[in-house]
Amino acid sequence: MGYAFSFTLTYYVGVVRQRGRNEEKEKMFPFIKAVQDVLRDGLMSATLVQRAPPLPVFTSADREFDLEWRKTKWDIGNRNRMEKELREFRLLNSELKHLRILLHGPVGAGKSSFINSINSVFQGQICAGALVAAESGITFTRKYKTHKFRNGNSGRLPFVVNDIMGLEKGNSIGVHPSDIINALKGHVKNNYKFNPVSPLSVGDADYVTNPSLNDRVHCLVSVIPLDKISIMDDEVINKMRAIREAASEMDIPQVIVVTMVDKACPVVKEDLRKIYFSKRIKQNMQECSNRLGVPMNCIFPVKNYHEETELDQEMDCLILTALGRIVHFSHEYIDSLDD
């Protein structure tokens, strides 16, 4: 049985802001090809009408600044210098065993991957101590976990990083903001299991009644996927801003680490050294600053180790730069407590 259909197919070609690339044209070809195949088989007749001009091909000048908007050094000497400084860093406060850094952010932002990336840099090989979900939309971290880093044969590095369950939209899934605020104050025991609908409270077995300086958080790090900042739900952003406000009341410094930079910009995917030439990266980081209220000089882009099986010099430079500033801000906070 055969049917003949006659219709006019109107195909609007919109020029998406800052997306005028050849790849966009290529995405149209399967659709047009499918229509042509149907026409060839005689199942229908159609008129293909293009109402807009073809997508323009953007040059590197449209995607990149002439000069780096943030200076950085990519050479092996600088990479090794940053690692050496962190390995040799010492705390002056005798009561303090380590600086405590707390990561938080939406599900799938790369919090656990950032911890693994830090460990990989210092161990000289790819590490996977913090378990990571293969699917980015699912939270894998369900306990308040303290991660320590071995410093060669001389014990541990003088900082630890705490990982927590990801933030999500709604009140019955994801970590409860109250648990993060309790962690900032040092009230949460290691290995406490998060309950999205029932946050930790005074009298619970995992509640630390009298936290020491070692229990408290010395820097709050928001981890944000840079490729998704524009579509992050306002409810998640508002939760993060509320947590930041609580940290500010305690004078705890705050930093943003933005991940997925290779997914956010094709220029950076091809060459990580162009990250501070990229207009897209700067634009997304500025949006991140505006939505979360953190100044640009406290936002640091990284590319986490994920698919790689060997260390990469450029990736190490970004990771060490971010970690170096986090440790510096944490130490400044400790110094301010002595004033």
Side-chain angles (χ1 to χ4, degrees):
M1 179 181 296
Y3 295 89
F5 296 88
S6 178
F7 71 104
T8 299
L9 178 64
T10 305
Y11 195 77
Y12 292 95
V13 182
V15 179
V16 181
R17 180 168 56 93
Q18 294 188 350
R19 291 188 181 177
R21 305 190 302 270
N22 286 333
E23 300 98 283
E24 301 298 330
K25 287 184 178 180
E26 292 171 1
K27 292 177 182 178
M28 303 176 193
F29 292 158
F31 174 78
I32 298 174
K33 179 66 165 56
V35 173
Q36 290 173 337
D37 289 344
V38 172
L39 295 175
R40 186 188 61 245
D41 293 338
L43 296 179
M44 63 179 77
S45 61
T47 301
L48 187 63
V49 180
Q50 182 172 299
R51 292 290 182 86
L55 288 169
V57 177
F58 278 44
T59 65
S60 60
D62 299 305
R63 302 181 184 181
E64 302 173 37
F65 294 105
D66 293 332
L67 299 173
E68 284 183 300
W69 52 270
R70 180 182 288 179
K71 296 293 184 181
T72 191
K73 296 179 180 178
W74 300 100
D75 59 279
I76 189 66
N78 186 56
R79 180 242 176 265
N80 291 343
R81 178 191 59 78
M82 290 190 290
E83 180 187 351
K84 184 173 183 289
E85 287 179 355
L86 287 167
R87 286 190 183 277
E88 296 178 352
F89 173 76
R90 296 291 180 267
L91 294 167
L92 300 178
N93 189 320
S94 59
E95 298 179 11
L96 198 62
K97 296 179 181 178
H98 48 241
L99 299 173
R100 187 178 298 277
I101 300 159
L102 176 63
L103 307 185
H104 82 127
V107 170
K111 297 181 292 297
S112 299
S113 293
F114 183 51
I115 293 172
N116 287 336
S117 296
I118 292 172
N119 202 25
S120 297
V121 169
F122 288 103
Q123 305 316 316
Q125 60 185 347
I126 301 299
C127 300
L131 299 180
V132 179
E135 186 177 344
S136 62
I138 298 176
T139 184
F140 204 77
T141 304
R142 300 189 181 276
K143 293 182 179 180
Y144 187 64
K145 180 72 174 178
T146 300
H147 294 269
K148 302 176 181 180
F149 307 98
R150 184 166 49 84
N151 188 11
N153 296 321
S154 59
R156 304 280 186 179
L157 290 165
F159 52 84
V160 298
V161 179
N162 278 87
D163 195 10
I164 60 172
M165 178 184 261
L167 287 160
E168 298 190 55
K169 180 182 178 180
N171 298 320
S172 60
I173 55 175
V175 64
H176 197 288
S178 295
D179 273 343
I180 301 178
I181 294 172
N182 274 327
L184 291 173
K185 298 176 180 178
H187 290 309
V188 182
K189 282 186 179 181
N190 194 39
N191 289 319
Y192 160 68
K193 188 174 182 179
F194 295 105
N195 185 338
V197 296
S198 180
L200 192 67
S201 59
V202 178
D204 290 344
D206 289 310
Y207 187 91
V208 179
T209 305
N210 298 305
S212 68
L213 184 60
N214 286 293
D215 296 319
R216 289 155 54 187
V217 169
H218 309 126
C219 186
L220 175 66
V221 178
S222 304
V223 182
I224 301 291
L226 195 60
D227 62 323
K228 295 183 174 65
I229 181 61
S230 298
I231 59 172
M232 276 184 62
D233 192 273
D234 286 340
E235 186 175 340
V236 173
I237 293 291
N238 290 337
K239 287 180 179 180
M240 296 184 72
R241 290 185 71 101
I243 294 163
R244 280 200 62 247
E245 289 175 7
S248 296
E249 291 177 1
M250 293 178 261
D251 295 322
I252 296 173
Q254 297 132 48
V255 165
I256 295 179
V257 168
V258 289
T259 61
M260 319 288 185
V261 294
D262 53 324
K263 294 182 179 180
C265 176
V267 171
V268 174
K269 185 176 182 179
E270 293 175 5
D271 184 356
L272 195 57
R273 292 195 179 205
K274 290 190 174 182
I275 192 163
Y276 293 126
F277 285 94
S278 168
K279 294 181 178 180
R280 178 73 60 81
I281 293 295
K282 186 174 185 181
Q283 174 190 321
N284 286 15
M285 285 176 59
Q286 187 63 62
E287 182 173 2
C288 191
S289 173
N290 295 341
R291 295 193 73 185
L292 286 170
V294 175
M296 282 285 281
N297 61 2
C298 292
I299 303 178
F300 302 96
V302 301
K303 183 179 185 296
N304 286 331
Y305 284 106
H306 177 62
E307 300 175 333
E308 297 78 11
T309 57
E310 300 290 338
L311 295 184
D312 178 88
Q313 182 175 317
E314 284 76 21
M315 292 172 65
D316 284 0
C317 284
L318 291 178
I319 293 164
L320 287 166
T321 297
L323 180 61
R325 301 314 296 165
I326 291 168
V327 169
H328 173 71
F329 292 147
S330 302
H331 199 220
E332 277 190 330
Y333 169 68
I334 294 298
D335 285 346
S336 71
L337 298 178
D338 296 331
D339 294 341

